[in-house]
Amino acid sequence: MEMLTIGVFAKACRLSPKALRLYDELDLLRPARVDPVTGYRYYAVGQLEQARLVAWLRRLGMPLAEIRTVCALEPAEAAREIRAYWARVEAETAVRRDLTAFLVDHLTAESRKDTTMLELRYSAHSDTGRVRPANQDTAYAGARLLAVADGYGPAGAPASSAAVEALKSLESAELPAGSVLNLLEDAVQGASRAVEDVAGGSGEVGTTLTALLWTGSRLALVHIGDSRAYLLRDGGLFRITHDHTVVQSMIDEGRLTPEEAAAHPQRALLLKSLGGEAPAAPDLKLQEARPGDRYLLCSDGLSGVVPDERIERLLSAAPAPDDAVRTLVDEANGAGGPDNVSCVVADVVEAQA
Ligand code: MN
Protein backbone atom coordinates (compact mmCIF):
# COMPACT_ATOMS: atom_id res chain seq x y z
CA MET A 1 0.00 0.00 0.00
CA GLU A 2 1.38 3.39 -0.95
CA MET A 3 1.78 5.54 2.16
CA LEU A 4 1.86 9.34 2.29
CA THR A 5 3.40 11.41 5.05
CA ILE A 6 1.06 13.70 6.92
CA GLY A 7 2.56 16.73 5.14
CA VAL A 8 2.02 15.35 1.64
CA PHE A 9 -1.44 14.04 2.56
CA ALA A 10 -2.40 17.41 4.07
CA LYS A 11 -1.50 19.23 0.84
CA ALA A 12 -3.39 16.74 -1.28
CA CYS A 13 -6.63 16.97 0.68
CA ARG A 14 -6.34 20.66 1.68
CA LEU A 15 -6.56 20.04 5.39
CA SER A 16 -3.78 21.29 7.66
CA PRO A 17 -1.58 18.77 9.52
CA LYS A 18 -2.97 20.31 12.70
CA ALA A 19 -6.54 19.57 11.60
CA LEU A 20 -5.54 16.03 10.62
CA ARG A 21 -4.11 15.41 14.09
CA LEU A 22 -7.35 16.70 15.63
CA TYR A 23 -9.48 14.48 13.39
CA ASP A 24 -7.34 11.52 14.39
CA GLU A 25 -7.98 12.26 18.07
CA LEU A 26 -11.71 12.65 17.37
CA ASP A 27 -11.81 9.34 15.53
CA LEU A 28 -13.00 11.11 12.42
CA LEU A 29 -10.08 10.23 10.15
CA ARG A 30 -7.55 7.75 11.48
CA PRO A 31 -4.12 7.50 9.82
CA ALA A 32 -3.51 4.16 8.05
CA ARG A 33 -0.34 3.70 10.11
CA VAL A 34 1.40 5.39 13.03
CA ASP A 35 5.10 4.76 13.37
CA PRO A 36 5.47 3.10 16.79
CA VAL A 37 8.86 4.70 17.38
CA THR A 38 8.55 8.25 16.01
CA GLY A 39 4.76 8.64 16.32
CA TYR A 40 4.61 9.94 12.71
CA ARG A 41 1.28 9.51 11.03
CA TYR A 42 1.00 7.98 7.57
CA TYR A 43 -2.05 7.97 5.34
CA ALA A 44 -3.09 5.70 2.50
CA VAL A 45 -3.82 7.16 -0.94
CA GLY A 46 -7.27 5.55 -0.68
CA GLN A 47 -8.09 7.83 2.30
CA LEU A 48 -7.81 10.98 0.19
CA GLU A 49 -11.41 10.91 -0.93
CA GLN A 50 -12.77 10.76 2.60
CA ALA A 51 -10.36 13.48 3.74
CA ARG A 52 -11.53 15.74 0.91
CA LEU A 53 -15.14 15.11 1.93
CA VAL A 54 -14.28 16.12 5.50
CA ALA A 55 -12.60 19.28 4.22
CA TRP A 56 -15.64 20.29 2.16
CA LEU A 57 -18.06 19.55 4.99
CA ARG A 58 -15.94 21.73 7.29
CA ARG A 59 -16.27 24.50 4.72
CA LEU A 60 -20.05 24.13 4.91
CA GLY A 61 -19.76 24.73 8.64
CA MET A 62 -21.00 21.26 9.57
CA PRO A 63 -20.17 20.33 13.17
CA LEU A 64 -17.59 17.56 13.60
CA ALA A 65 -20.04 15.15 15.23
CA GLU A 66 -22.31 15.37 12.17
CA ILE A 67 -19.35 14.98 9.81
CA ARG A 68 -18.50 11.73 11.56
CA THR A 69 -22.07 10.49 10.94
CA VAL A 70 -22.00 11.52 7.28
CA CYS A 71 -18.59 9.93 6.66
CA ALA A 72 -19.84 6.59 7.93
CA LEU A 73 -22.68 6.50 5.35
CA GLU A 74 -22.98 5.19 1.81
CA PRO A 75 -22.74 8.06 -0.76
CA ALA A 76 -26.50 8.20 -1.50
CA GLU A 77 -27.38 8.21 2.19
CA ALA A 78 -24.62 10.78 2.88
CA ALA A 79 -26.04 13.02 0.16
CA ARG A 80 -29.46 12.92 1.84
CA GLU A 81 -27.94 13.80 5.21
CA ILE A 82 -26.03 16.75 3.74
CA ARG A 83 -29.20 18.05 2.09
CA ALA A 84 -31.08 17.70 5.39
CA TYR A 85 -28.29 19.50 7.27
CA TRP A 86 -28.45 22.43 4.87
CA ALA A 87 -32.24 22.66 5.12
CA ARG A 88 -31.87 23.01 8.89
CA VAL A 89 -29.25 25.74 8.47
CA GLU A 90 -31.52 27.65 6.09
CA ALA A 91 -34.51 27.37 8.43
CA GLU A 92 -32.45 28.71 11.35
CA THR A 93 -31.06 31.48 9.17
CA ALA A 94 -34.55 32.48 8.06
CA VAL A 95 -35.63 32.97 11.67
CA ARG A 96 -32.52 35.07 12.35
CA ARG A 97 -33.05 37.05 9.14
CA ASP A 98 -36.58 38.00 10.24
CA LEU A 99 -35.32 39.01 13.66
CA THR A 100 -32.59 41.09 12.02
CA ALA A 101 -35.15 42.86 9.83
CA PHE A 102 -37.24 43.47 12.92
CA LEU A 103 -34.31 45.10 14.74
CA VAL A 104 -33.19 47.16 11.76
CA ASP A 105 -36.72 48.43 11.30
CA HIS A 106 -37.05 49.16 14.97
CA LEU A 107 -33.80 51.15 15.07
CA THR A 108 -34.68 53.19 11.99
CA ALA A 109 -38.33 53.77 12.87
CA GLU A 110 -37.60 57.03 14.67
CA SER A 111 -36.28 58.74 11.56
CA ARG A 112 -39.22 57.73 9.41
CA LYS A 113 -42.31 59.87 9.12
CA ASP A 114 -45.51 58.14 8.14
CA THR A 115 -47.57 60.51 6.05
CA THR A 116 -50.82 58.58 5.91
CA MET A 117 -52.67 57.35 8.97
CA LEU A 118 -53.71 53.75 8.63
CA GLU A 119 -56.03 51.55 10.61
CA LEU A 120 -57.49 48.05 10.55
CA ARG A 121 -60.97 46.78 9.62
CA TYR A 122 -61.33 43.32 11.04
CA SER A 123 -63.51 40.31 11.72
CA ALA A 124 -63.03 36.98 13.49
CA HIS A 125 -65.01 33.78 13.53
CA SER A 126 -64.42 30.33 15.01
CA ASP A 127 -66.53 27.26 14.28
CA THR A 128 -66.61 23.72 15.67
CA GLY A 129 -66.79 22.17 12.21
CA ARG A 130 -68.82 19.11 11.26
CA VAL A 131 -66.99 16.32 13.09
CA ARG A 132 -65.41 17.40 16.37
CA PRO A 133 -67.56 17.37 19.52
CA ALA A 134 -66.14 20.68 20.82
CA ASN A 135 -64.29 23.76 19.63
CA GLN A 136 -60.74 24.02 20.98
CA ASP A 137 -59.77 26.94 18.71
CA THR A 138 -59.80 30.56 19.82
CA ALA A 139 -60.04 33.46 17.38
CA TYR A 140 -59.89 37.13 18.28
CA ALA A 141 -59.80 40.44 16.43
CA GLY A 142 -59.55 43.93 17.95
CA ALA A 143 -58.28 47.34 16.89
CA ARG A 144 -54.68 46.33 17.68
CA LEU A 145 -54.59 42.57 18.08
CA LEU A 146 -55.48 39.72 15.73
CA ALA A 147 -54.98 36.17 16.97
CA VAL A 148 -55.74 32.53 16.23
CA ALA A 149 -54.86 29.70 18.61
CA ASP A 150 -55.55 25.99 18.07
CA GLY A 151 -55.53 24.07 21.34
CA TYR A 152 -54.92 20.34 21.65
CA GLY A 153 -55.18 17.72 24.36
CA PRO A 154 -57.84 17.23 27.05
CA ALA A 155 -57.70 20.93 28.02
CA GLY A 156 -57.15 22.27 24.52
CA ALA A 157 -59.95 24.83 24.67
CA PRO A 158 -58.78 26.55 27.89
CA ALA A 159 -55.19 26.40 26.58
CA SER A 160 -55.97 28.27 23.36
CA SER A 161 -58.16 30.80 25.12
CA ALA A 162 -55.55 31.40 27.86
CA ALA A 163 -52.92 32.14 25.19
CA VAL A 164 -55.12 34.69 23.43
CA GLU A 165 -56.36 36.24 26.69
CA ALA A 166 -52.74 36.82 27.77
CA LEU A 167 -52.05 38.73 24.55
CA LYS A 168 -55.09 40.97 24.96
CA SER A 169 -53.15 43.19 27.39
CA LEU A 170 -51.51 44.49 24.21
CA GLU A 171 -54.81 46.05 23.14
CA SER A 172 -54.53 48.70 25.82
CA ALA A 173 -50.77 48.84 26.45
CA GLU A 174 -48.74 51.90 25.61
CA LEU A 175 -46.76 51.19 22.48
CA PRO A 176 -43.67 53.37 22.80
CA ALA A 177 -41.79 53.42 19.51
CA GLY A 178 -38.76 51.73 20.94
CA SER A 179 -40.10 48.77 22.76
CA VAL A 180 -42.57 46.91 20.57
CA LEU A 181 -40.26 43.92 20.35
CA ASN A 182 -39.80 43.64 24.11
CA LEU A 183 -43.48 44.24 24.75
CA LEU A 184 -44.38 41.47 22.38
CA GLU A 185 -41.86 39.08 23.82
CA ASP A 186 -43.16 39.75 27.35
CA ALA A 187 -46.73 39.18 26.18
CA VAL A 188 -45.75 35.90 24.54
CA GLN A 189 -43.99 34.76 27.70
CA GLY A 190 -47.16 35.64 29.61
CA ALA A 191 -49.16 33.56 27.13
CA SER A 192 -46.73 30.69 27.49
CA ARG A 193 -47.03 30.75 31.30
CA ALA A 194 -50.82 30.92 31.07
CA VAL A 195 -50.86 27.84 28.83
CA GLU A 196 -48.49 26.00 31.17
CA ASP A 197 -50.83 26.76 34.07
CA VAL A 198 -53.67 25.16 32.12
CA ALA A 199 -51.54 22.23 30.95
CA GLY A 200 -50.15 21.53 34.41
CA GLY A 201 -46.92 20.13 33.00
CA SER A 202 -48.68 17.17 31.39
CA GLY A 203 -47.04 17.68 28.00
CA GLU A 204 -50.32 16.52 26.43
CA VAL A 205 -51.95 19.93 26.45
CA GLY A 206 -50.84 22.93 24.45
CA THR A 207 -51.76 25.35 21.71
CA THR A 208 -50.56 26.99 18.56
CA LEU A 209 -50.51 30.78 18.45
CA THR A 210 -50.39 33.03 15.42
CA ALA A 211 -50.98 36.71 16.15
CA LEU A 212 -50.49 40.14 14.60
CA LEU A 213 -50.01 43.28 16.66
CA TRP A 214 -50.81 46.59 14.96
CA THR A 215 -48.34 49.33 15.84
CA GLY A 216 -49.97 52.12 13.83
CA SER A 217 -47.87 51.64 10.71
CA ARG A 218 -46.62 48.07 10.87
CA LEU A 219 -47.73 44.65 12.01
CA ALA A 220 -45.63 42.55 14.33
CA LEU A 221 -46.15 38.83 13.79
CA VAL A 222 -45.79 36.18 16.48
CA HIS A 223 -46.04 32.59 15.35
CA ILE A 224 -45.66 29.15 16.84
CA GLY A 225 -47.25 25.91 15.61
CA ASP A 226 -49.24 25.17 12.44
CA SER A 227 -51.84 27.90 12.37
CA ARG A 228 -51.05 30.27 9.51
CA ALA A 229 -50.90 33.91 8.46
CA TYR A 230 -51.45 34.94 4.84
CA LEU A 231 -51.14 38.32 3.15
CA LEU A 232 -53.25 39.22 0.12
CA ARG A 233 -51.40 42.06 -1.62
CA ASP A 234 -51.76 43.32 -5.18
CA GLY A 235 -53.95 40.34 -6.05
CA GLY A 236 -51.44 37.71 -4.89
CA LEU A 237 -51.66 35.50 -1.80
CA PHE A 238 -48.48 35.06 0.25
CA ARG A 239 -48.10 32.77 3.21
CA ILE A 240 -46.01 34.66 5.79
CA THR A 241 -45.65 31.89 8.38
CA HIS A 242 -43.77 28.59 8.30
CA ASP A 243 -45.53 25.55 9.79
CA HIS A 244 -43.71 24.14 12.82
CA THR A 245 -44.65 20.58 11.95
CA VAL A 246 -42.71 17.39 11.49
CA VAL A 247 -43.93 17.01 7.89
CA GLN A 248 -42.96 20.61 6.99
CA SER A 249 -39.40 20.00 8.21
CA MET A 250 -39.36 16.78 6.15
CA ILE A 251 -40.43 18.80 3.09
CA ASP A 252 -37.70 21.35 3.84
CA GLU A 253 -35.15 18.56 4.06
CA GLY A 254 -36.27 17.05 0.76
CA ARG A 255 -37.52 13.85 2.36
CA LEU A 256 -41.18 14.39 1.50
CA THR A 257 -43.09 16.16 -1.30
CA PRO A 258 -45.88 18.61 -0.37
CA GLU A 259 -48.37 16.12 -1.91
CA GLU A 260 -47.09 13.29 0.30
CA ALA A 261 -47.20 15.61 3.31
CA ALA A 262 -50.86 16.49 2.70
CA ALA A 263 -51.78 12.80 2.99
CA HIS A 264 -49.30 11.94 5.73
CA PRO A 265 -50.98 10.26 8.74
CA GLN A 266 -48.88 12.36 11.15
CA ARG A 267 -49.25 15.67 9.31
CA ALA A 268 -50.67 17.36 12.44
CA LEU A 269 -47.66 16.48 14.60
CA LEU A 270 -46.17 19.77 15.86
CA LEU A 271 -42.47 20.49 16.31
CA LYS A 272 -43.15 23.58 18.42
CA SER A 273 -46.13 24.85 20.39
CA LEU A 274 -46.97 26.74 23.58
CA GLY A 275 -47.16 24.30 26.48
CA GLY A 276 -45.26 21.68 24.48
CA GLU A 277 -42.72 19.49 26.21
CA ALA A 278 -39.66 21.40 24.96
CA PRO A 279 -39.70 25.15 25.66
CA ALA A 280 -39.71 26.79 22.25
CA ALA A 281 -39.43 30.37 21.09
CA PRO A 282 -42.01 31.66 18.60
CA ASP A 283 -40.95 33.25 15.32
CA LEU A 284 -41.12 37.05 15.40
CA LYS A 285 -41.38 39.16 12.27
CA LEU A 286 -42.30 42.72 11.38
CA GLN A 287 -44.59 43.34 8.40
CA GLU A 288 -44.77 46.67 6.65
CA ALA A 289 -48.43 47.63 6.19
CA ARG A 290 -49.80 49.13 2.98
CA PRO A 291 -53.30 50.43 2.33
CA GLY A 292 -55.20 47.70 0.48
CA ASP A 293 -53.41 44.84 2.27
CA ARG A 294 -55.68 42.07 3.52
CA TYR A 295 -54.40 39.70 6.21
CA LEU A 296 -55.79 36.27 7.02
CA LEU A 297 -55.00 34.26 10.14
CA CYS A 298 -56.42 30.74 10.23
CA SER A 299 -56.18 27.43 12.02
CA ASP A 300 -55.37 24.21 10.14
CA GLY A 301 -59.11 23.51 10.03
CA LEU A 302 -59.09 25.86 7.01
CA SER A 303 -55.65 25.32 5.45
CA GLY A 304 -55.86 21.54 5.87
CA VAL A 305 -58.92 21.18 3.66
CA VAL A 306 -59.05 24.29 1.44
CA PRO A 307 -56.18 24.68 -1.06
CA ASP A 308 -54.26 27.99 -1.15
CA GLU A 309 -55.56 28.82 -4.67
CA ARG A 310 -59.14 28.53 -3.42
CA ILE A 311 -58.36 30.63 -0.31
CA GLU A 312 -56.86 33.26 -2.59
CA ARG A 313 -59.97 33.36 -4.82
CA LEU A 314 -62.44 33.59 -1.91
CA LEU A 315 -60.36 36.12 0.02
CA SER A 316 -60.02 38.34 -3.08
CA ALA A 317 -63.72 38.18 -3.89
CA ALA A 318 -65.09 39.01 -0.42
CA PRO A 319 -66.05 42.71 -0.17
CA ALA A 320 -65.36 43.08 3.58
CA PRO A 321 -63.60 41.12 6.37
CA ASP A 322 -67.02 39.94 7.67
CA ASP A 323 -67.88 38.36 4.34
CA ALA A 324 -64.43 36.83 4.04
CA VAL A 325 -64.45 35.01 7.40
CA ARG A 326 -67.98 33.70 6.80
CA THR A 327 -67.19 32.45 3.29
CA LEU A 328 -63.94 30.78 4.36
CA VAL A 329 -65.49 28.99 7.36
CA ASP A 330 -68.38 27.83 5.12
CA GLU A 331 -65.88 26.54 2.58
CA ALA A 332 -64.05 24.45 5.22
CA ASN A 333 -67.34 23.01 6.46
CA GLY A 334 -68.40 22.36 2.87
CA ALA A 335 -65.23 20.31 2.46
CA GLY A 336 -66.35 18.08 5.34
CA GLY A 337 -65.38 20.31 8.28
CA PRO A 338 -63.16 17.62 9.82
CA ASP A 339 -61.58 20.03 12.33
CA ASN A 340 -62.40 23.20 14.25
CA VAL A 341 -61.97 26.12 11.87
CA SER A 342 -61.01 29.69 12.78
CA CYS A 343 -60.45 32.70 10.56
CA VAL A 344 -59.45 36.27 11.27
CA VAL A 345 -59.40 38.74 8.40
CA ALA A 346 -58.14 42.32 8.64
CA ASP A 347 -57.90 45.04 5.99
CA VAL A 348 -55.36 47.86 6.20
CA VAL A 349 -57.24 51.04 5.30
CA GLU A 350 -56.62 54.79 5.43
CA ALA A 351 -58.01 56.17 8.66
CA GLN A 352 -61.21 58.18 8.39
CA ALA A 353 -60.62 61.70 9.65
MN1 MN B 1 -56.81 22.23 14.28
Side-chain angles (χ1 to χ4, degrees), residues 148-196:
V148 163
D150 179 347
Y152 58 85
S160 70
S161 109
V164 173
E165 277 304 315
L167 286 194
K168 280 192 197 166
S169 60
L170 294 170
E171 280 280 14
S172 53
E174 282 272 318
L175 290 186
S179 67
V180 173
L181 186 62
N182 292 349
L183 202 66
L184 204 59
E185 186 143 69
D186 290 348
V188 170
Q189 274 171 11
S192 186
R193 276 193 304 272
V195 173
E196 277 158 25

XYZ file of all heavy atoms in Angstrom, residues 148-196:
330
model
N -55.121 33.851 16.364
C -55.744 32.534 16.233
C -54.904 31.555 17.039
O -53.668 31.585 16.970
C -55.810 32.084 14.751
C -56.052 30.589 14.646
C -56.908 32.840 14.017
N -55.570 30.724 17.844
C -54.861 29.696 18.613
C -55.648 28.397 18.473
O -56.877 28.403 18.500
C -54.745 30.098 20.080
N -54.925 27.303 18.295
C -55.550 25.989 18.073
C -55.063 25.059 19.186
O -53.931 24.583 19.168
C -55.130 25.491 16.681
C -55.708 24.119 16.340
O -56.225 23.430 17.251
O -55.630 23.737 15.160
N -55.932 24.860 20.182
C -55.528 24.067 21.341
C -55.652 22.576 21.088
O -56.450 22.142 20.272
N -54.827 21.785 21.794
C -54.924 20.337 21.650
C -54.817 19.687 23.029
O -54.377 20.308 23.998
C -53.842 19.793 20.709
C -52.437 20.102 21.146
C -51.771 19.283 22.058
C -51.773 21.222 20.658
C -50.476 19.575 22.457
C -50.485 21.517 21.054
C -49.834 20.687 21.955
O -48.561 20.974 22.366
N -55.234 18.446 23.098
C -55.185 17.718 24.362
C -56.479 17.879 25.118
O -57.393 18.597 24.690
N -56.583 17.219 26.286
C -57.837 17.231 27.053
C -58.283 18.633 27.465
O -59.479 18.877 27.592
C -57.528 16.387 28.287
C -56.177 15.792 28.108
C -55.558 16.343 26.857
N -57.328 19.561 27.668
C -57.704 20.935 28.020
C -57.318 21.892 26.899
O -56.857 23.012 27.130
C -57.041 21.343 29.332
N -57.539 21.446 25.671
C -57.147 22.265 24.518
C -57.878 23.596 24.440
O -57.283 24.615 24.097
N -59.164 23.595 24.767
C -59.947 24.834 24.666
C -59.465 25.896 25.665
O -59.206 27.035 25.282
C -61.435 24.536 24.847
N -59.329 25.541 26.978
C -58.777 26.551 27.890
C -57.346 26.966 27.538
O -56.968 28.113 27.761
C -58.807 25.866 29.270
C -59.414 24.523 29.098
C -59.831 24.340 27.680
N -56.574 26.057 26.949
C -55.187 26.405 26.583
C -55.180 27.466 25.492
O -54.464 28.475 25.592
C -54.427 25.159 26.120
N -55.994 27.282 24.448
C -55.966 28.273 23.360
C -56.546 29.597 23.834
O -56.048 30.665 23.490
C -56.714 27.742 22.127
O -58.109 27.676 22.363
N -57.582 29.536 24.678
C -58.165 30.798 25.120
C -57.246 31.515 26.109
O -57.142 32.744 26.083
C -59.590 30.559 25.652
O -59.650 30.710 27.045
N -56.502 30.763 26.938
C -55.547 31.396 27.860
C -54.446 32.124 27.084
O -54.024 33.228 27.458
C -54.934 30.340 28.789
N -53.988 31.515 25.988
C -52.915 32.141 25.189
C -53.394 33.466 24.606
O -52.687 34.486 24.668
C -52.470 31.190 24.079
N -54.603 33.466 24.055
C -55.117 34.688 23.429
C -55.449 35.742 24.488
O -55.146 36.928 24.324
C -56.347 34.362 22.547
C -56.998 35.635 22.026
C -55.932 33.467 21.378
N -56.061 35.297 25.596
C -56.357 36.235 26.691
C -55.100 36.975 27.141
O -55.111 38.176 27.384
C -56.961 35.499 27.890
C -58.458 35.232 27.801
C -59.269 36.508 27.572
O -59.001 37.525 28.242
O -60.174 36.481 26.707
N -53.987 36.215 27.281
C -52.742 36.818 27.768
C -52.225 37.888 26.811
O -51.589 38.850 27.230
C -51.685 35.731 27.978
N -52.519 37.730 25.517
C -52.050 38.728 24.551
C -52.935 39.974 24.540
O -52.529 41.024 24.069
C -52.028 38.146 23.135
C -50.926 37.153 22.779
C -50.881 36.990 21.272
C -49.564 37.609 23.272
N -54.157 39.842 25.058
C -55.092 40.965 24.961
C -54.632 42.194 25.730
O -55.098 43.300 25.458
C -56.489 40.546 25.453
C -57.270 39.775 24.401
C -58.721 39.647 24.825
C -59.435 38.563 24.049
N -60.720 38.225 24.678
N -53.703 42.021 26.683
C -53.150 43.186 27.386
C -52.521 44.160 26.389
O -52.422 45.353 26.650
C -52.103 42.729 28.399
O -51.054 42.051 27.740
N -52.123 43.638 25.220
C -51.506 44.495 24.206
C -52.501 45.475 23.598
O -52.106 46.508 23.061
C -50.900 43.640 23.091
C -49.715 42.756 23.499
C -49.378 41.776 22.374
C -48.496 43.615 23.827
N -53.797 45.162 23.695
C -54.812 46.051 23.136
C -54.773 47.428 23.804
O -55.009 48.431 23.158
C -56.226 45.454 23.322
C -56.598 44.389 22.324
C -57.038 44.963 20.974
O -56.806 46.146 20.715
O -57.599 44.194 20.182
N -54.470 47.435 25.098
C -54.527 48.700 25.822
C -53.142 49.215 26.236
O -53.019 50.316 26.739
C -55.392 48.527 27.078
O -54.913 47.437 27.819
N -52.116 48.426 25.988
C -50.774 48.835 26.446
C -50.285 50.046 25.661
O -50.639 50.238 24.507
C -49.804 47.672 26.269
N -49.467 50.850 26.309
C -48.742 51.905 25.611
C -47.802 51.242 24.631
O -47.179 50.236 24.953
C -47.895 52.689 26.613
C -48.667 53.681 27.449
C -48.754 55.030 26.751
O -47.726 55.463 26.187
O -49.840 55.633 26.781
N -47.707 51.777 23.421
C -46.762 51.193 22.478
C -45.672 52.202 22.159
O -45.681 52.806 21.098
C -47.470 50.778 21.189
C -48.418 49.585 21.233
C -48.896 49.250 19.835
C -47.790 48.376 21.870
N -44.740 52.432 23.080
C -43.667 53.372 22.803
C -42.839 52.867 21.628
O -42.628 51.652 21.504
C -42.837 53.371 24.092
C -43.439 52.352 24.995
C -44.534 51.655 24.301
N -42.432 53.803 20.771
C -41.794 53.423 19.509
C -40.679 52.409 19.704
O -40.484 51.528 18.893
C -41.259 54.668 18.815
N -39.956 52.541 20.799
C -38.756 51.733 20.944
C -38.943 50.312 21.435
O -38.045 49.501 21.311
N -40.084 50.007 22.001
C -40.099 48.766 22.763
C -41.117 47.738 22.306
O -41.485 46.851 23.050
C -40.352 49.082 24.233
O -41.656 49.594 24.363
N -41.565 47.838 21.052
C -42.573 46.908 20.565
C -42.089 45.463 20.682
O -42.818 44.576 21.104
C -42.962 47.235 19.108
C -43.890 46.175 18.541
C -43.613 48.598 19.042
N -40.821 45.274 20.325
C -40.259 43.917 20.350
C -40.282 43.328 21.761
O -40.707 42.195 21.964
C -38.827 43.954 19.811
C -38.114 42.615 19.635
C -38.839 41.750 18.630
C -36.685 42.849 19.189
N -39.833 44.135 22.730
C -39.804 43.639 24.113
C -41.213 43.403 24.644
O -41.478 42.418 25.326
C -39.104 44.642 25.024
C -37.632 44.735 24.714
O -37.113 43.903 23.970
N -36.977 45.734 25.248
N -42.092 44.341 24.307
C -43.480 44.236 24.754
C -44.103 42.934 24.251
O -44.769 42.205 24.994
C -44.246 45.428 24.183
C -45.524 45.825 24.881
C -45.226 46.340 26.265
C -46.226 46.907 24.050
N -43.842 42.666 22.999
C -44.381 41.469 22.376
C -43.793 40.223 23.019
O -44.497 39.249 23.298
C -44.024 41.508 20.889
C -44.892 40.728 19.943
C -46.320 41.193 20.013
C -44.364 40.916 18.521
N -42.515 40.247 23.231
C -41.856 39.083 23.823
C -42.404 38.822 25.236
O -42.669 37.682 25.607
C -40.346 39.304 23.868
C -39.603 38.072 24.337
C -38.277 37.909 23.599
O -37.383 38.741 23.844
O -38.152 36.968 22.798
N -42.586 39.904 26.008
C -43.162 39.750 27.350
C -44.565 39.156 27.273
O -44.920 38.274 28.054
C -43.235 41.107 28.068
C -41.854 41.625 28.444
O -40.893 40.825 28.345
O -41.741 42.810 28.807
N -45.354 39.664 26.314
C -46.730 39.177 26.179
C -46.744 37.695 25.811
O -47.558 36.918 26.310
C -47.474 39.991 25.124
N -45.807 37.308 24.945
C -45.751 35.898 24.541
C -45.315 35.019 25.719
O -45.842 33.918 25.903
C -44.788 35.720 23.346
C -44.530 34.248 23.080
C -45.385 36.369 22.106
N -44.390 35.535 26.511
C -43.993 34.765 27.700
C -45.170 34.623 28.661
O -45.355 33.570 29.270
C -42.802 35.429 28.392
C -41.487 34.988 27.782
C -40.293 35.786 28.285
O -40.417 36.553 29.243
N -39.169 35.622 27.623
N -45.953 35.706 28.776
C -47.155 35.640 29.608
C -48.123 34.590 29.080
O -48.707 33.809 29.840
N -48.270 34.545 27.750
C -49.155 33.560 27.126
C -48.641 32.150 27.390
O -49.408 31.238 27.706
C -49.252 33.823 25.621
N -47.339 31.998 27.278
C -46.729 30.688 27.488
C -46.954 30.201 28.922
O -47.313 29.042 29.143
C -45.231 30.805 27.177
O -44.639 29.558 27.227
N -46.792 31.122 29.890
C -47.034 30.753 31.297
C -48.501 30.395 31.525
O -48.813 29.430 32.225
C -46.624 31.901 32.227
C -45.137 31.924 32.559
C -44.855 32.884 33.715
N -45.336 34.235 33.434
C -44.600 35.157 32.807
N -43.386 34.876 32.409
N -45.090 36.355 32.591
N -49.380 31.181 30.909
C -50.817 30.922 31.072
C -51.178 29.538 30.534
O -51.973 28.813 31.131
C -51.627 32.010 30.351
N -50.581 29.166 29.413
C -50.863 27.841 28.833
C -50.285 26.754 29.736
O -50.918 25.717 29.963
C -50.285 27.735 27.398
C -50.421 26.310 26.866
C -50.997 28.710 26.466
N -49.083 26.997 30.264
C -48.485 26.000 31.165
C -49.344 25.790 32.415
O -49.461 24.673 32.913
C -47.062 26.405 31.551
C -46.048 26.006 30.489
C -44.774 26.838 30.560
O -44.467 27.360 31.664
O -44.115 26.982 29.516
